[in-house]
């Protein structure tokens, strides 16, 4: 019998001062059986940093040809493709051809550094690709906020995200890799 996803609920009061976006999001997050809490929270942060009207979680790990998060327009074209971790060059090439904009959020400092050094020269020509890294200390801070039902406050200003709950607050800076 296959393992089922664990369902998390997150209510996020978001104030994106950079983009003048203010809302209360009620998200349902399905955590794949092989997905760590760390990865799930990085996925949530990626969602928050790119929040827009048509943004949605996809099947992600369960579906090879889909990103973690995407935004499609009304004609079903992919406007934004968001991946996590360290995707290979083939996946990034396909994503850059399928989508108007591709963003990767990498984490795990040592592995990300090695991955980026090995792949950077191969993907530099993908003009619609942006790659960001979130450091281990910040990821540990957001991972500590995991609860089955989360009440979070997110404030984005000058490209920085402050994520907090009733117990802690964590600065998250996604640093663009060149």
């Amino acid at each position: 019998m296959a393992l089922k996803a664990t369902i998390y609920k997150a209510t996020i009061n978001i104030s994106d001062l950079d983009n003048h976006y203010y809302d209360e999001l009620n998200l349902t997050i399905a955590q794949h059986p092989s997905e760590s809490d760390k990865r799930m929270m990085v996925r949530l942060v990626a969602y928050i940093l790119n929040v827009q009207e048509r943004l949605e979680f996809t099947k992600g790990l369960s579906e090879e040809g889909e990103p973690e998060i995407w935004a499609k327009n009304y004609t079903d074209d992919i406007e934004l493709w968001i991946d996590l971790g360290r995707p290979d060059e083939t996946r990034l090439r396909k994503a850059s051809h399928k989508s108007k904009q591709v963003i990767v959020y990498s984490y795990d400092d040592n592995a990300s550094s090695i991955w980026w050094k090995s792949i950077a020269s191969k993907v530099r020509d993908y003009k619609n690709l942006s790659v960001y890294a979130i450091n281990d200390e910040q990821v540990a801070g957001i991972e500590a906020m995991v609860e089955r039902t989360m009440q979070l406050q997110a404030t984005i200003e000058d490209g920085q995200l402050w994520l907090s709950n009733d117990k802690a607050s964590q600065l998250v800076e996604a640093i663009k890799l060149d």
Side-chain angles (χ1 to χ4, degrees):
M1 186 166 144
L3 295 173
K4 293 184 180 185
T6 304
I7 303 300
Y8 290 82
K9 299 283 188 176
T11 300
I12 305 164
N13 289 305
I14 186 166
S15 299
D16 183 345
L17 303 173
D18 293 345
N19 297 302
H20 307 290
Y21 181 95
Y22 309 93
D23 202 356
E24 181 176 280
L25 307 174
N26 292 300
L27 302 175
T28 299
I29 307 161
Q31 183 184 31
H32 189 275
S34 67
E35 184 177 34
S36 67
D37 287 349
K38 177 191 319 189
R39 188 176 192 288
M40 180 186 69
M41 289 303 285
V42 170
R43 189 161 45 107
L44 181 60
V45 163
Y47 188 99
I48 293 167
L49 288 172
N50 294 279
V51 70
Q52 56 185 276
E53 181 185 343
R54 299 185 56 85
L55 195 67
E56 61 183 305
F57 291 114
T58 67
K59 294 178 183 173
L61 289 173
S62 300
E63 186 66 40
E64 189 176 310
E66 291 185 0
E68 301 299 324
I69 303 165
W70 64 17
K72 290 184 170 185
N73 62 23
Y74 292 106
T75 59
D76 216 30
D77 295 326
I78 303 170
E79 295 285 324
L80 176 60
W81 176 294
I82 300 174
D83 260 337
L84 304 179
R86 298 172 298 279
D88 63 26
E89 190 268 337
T90 302
R91 181 171 174 85
L92 293 176
R93 181 175 7 92
K94 287 178 183 176
S96 69
H97 284 75
K98 288 181 178 181
S99 179
K100 189 174 189 178
Q101 181 183 11
V102 178
I103 301 175
V104 175
Y105 290 95
S106 186
Y107 57 100
D108 289 333
D109 292 345
N110 292 335
S112 289
S113 177
I114 294 166
W115 165 77
W116 184 242
K117 286 178 185 173
S118 73
I119 199 170
S121 64
K122 298 173 187 173
V123 300
R124 287 204 195 277
D125 292 336
Y126 303 159
K127 301 300 181 203
N128 61 341
L129 172 66
S130 300
V131 179
Y132 295 89
I134 302 173
N135 79 37
D136 291 345
E137 183 180 314
Q138 293 173 359
V139 172
I142 60 173
E143 183 182 11
M145 295 180 187
V146 171
E147 296 178 8
R148 290 295 291 271
T149 302
M150 295 179 267
Q151 298 282 333
L152 301 171
Q153 173 65 44
T155 304
I156 301 169
E157 185 173 20
D158 298 329
Q160 298 179 327
L161 166 64
W162 278 98
L163 191 64
S164 58
N165 62 14
D166 60 345
K167 299 173 193 152
S169 183
Q170 178 63 55
L171 170 66
V172 179
E173 292 181 284
I175 306 298
K176 187 166 187 184
L177 301 179
D178 295 320

